[in-house]
């Protein structure tokens, strides 16, 4: 109800970010992305990583959020705000590349015929 009310107040211009301020797995609740999409426009729900487990960011991709948010820190050996769940700057390109590959592998749900020329062919989708 609260999200729907805010959605109406922003005249459907806001993007809502689902995140948990807890590091407990049971508090992450990725299924909330689906619930939020049912209440507001599905293209305006994003996910913010607040977990030290980077796999959560990848799992969130399955719910097709509008955007993904995560903290970045330099490689210095100092204590950063949000240090426990921040990604080192030298790892960001790898993480983004992994996210792009995962999104590609999730696809759009359309089944396509794969034609193999021979047993060594990796396949071409038509």
């Amino acid at each position: 109800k609260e999200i729907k009310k805010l959605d109406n107040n922003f005249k459907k211009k806001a993007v809502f970010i689902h995140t948990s301020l807890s590091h407990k797995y049971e508090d992450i609740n990725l299924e909330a992305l689906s619930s939020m999409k049912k209440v507001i426009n599905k293209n305006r729900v994003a996910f913010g990583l607040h977990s030290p487990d980077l796999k959560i960011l990848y799992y969130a991709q399955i719910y097709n959020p509008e955007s993904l948010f995560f903290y970045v820190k330099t490689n210095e050996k100092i204590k950063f705000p949000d240090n426990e769940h921040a990604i080192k700057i030298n790892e960001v390109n790898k993480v983004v590349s992994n996210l792009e590959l995962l999104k590609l592998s999730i696809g759009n749900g359309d089944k396509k015929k794969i034609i193999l020329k021979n047993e060594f062919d990796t396949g071409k989708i038509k």
Side-chain angles (χ1 to χ4, degrees), residues 38-103:
K38 289 177 187 173
V39 173
I40 59 177
N41 183 310
K42 66 180 180 181
N43 296 322
R44 296 186 300 108
V45 178
F47 176 74
L49 180 68
H50 207 274
S51 170
D53 188 346
L54 186 57
K55 291 188 302 281
I56 301 299
L57 187 63
Y58 299 131
Y59 299 151
Q61 194 72 319
I62 294 167
Y63 292 89
N64 196 26
E66 188 272 342
S67 303
L68 294 169
F69 291 84
F70 53 86
Y71 295 89
V72 177
K73 62 183 176 182
T74 65
N75 298 319
E76 300 169 89
K77 301 262 188 217
I78 59 175
K79 180 105 170 151
F80 289 91
D82 300 297
N83 192 61
E84 291 181 39
H85 45 267
I87 299 169
K88 289 183 178 178
I89 197 162
N90 66 330
E91 297 174 5
V92 170
N93 285 341
K94 179 179 152 192
V95 169
V96 170
S97 178
N98 287 340
L99 287 166
E100 289 171 346
L101 287 172
L102 180 56
K103 187 159 183 88

Side-chain angles (χ1 to χ4, degrees), residues 1-7 9 16:
K1 290 178 184 179
E2 191 176 350
I3 291 171
K4 186 67 172 167
K5 182 178 177 184
L6 284 171
D7 187 39
N9 289 346
F16 293 85

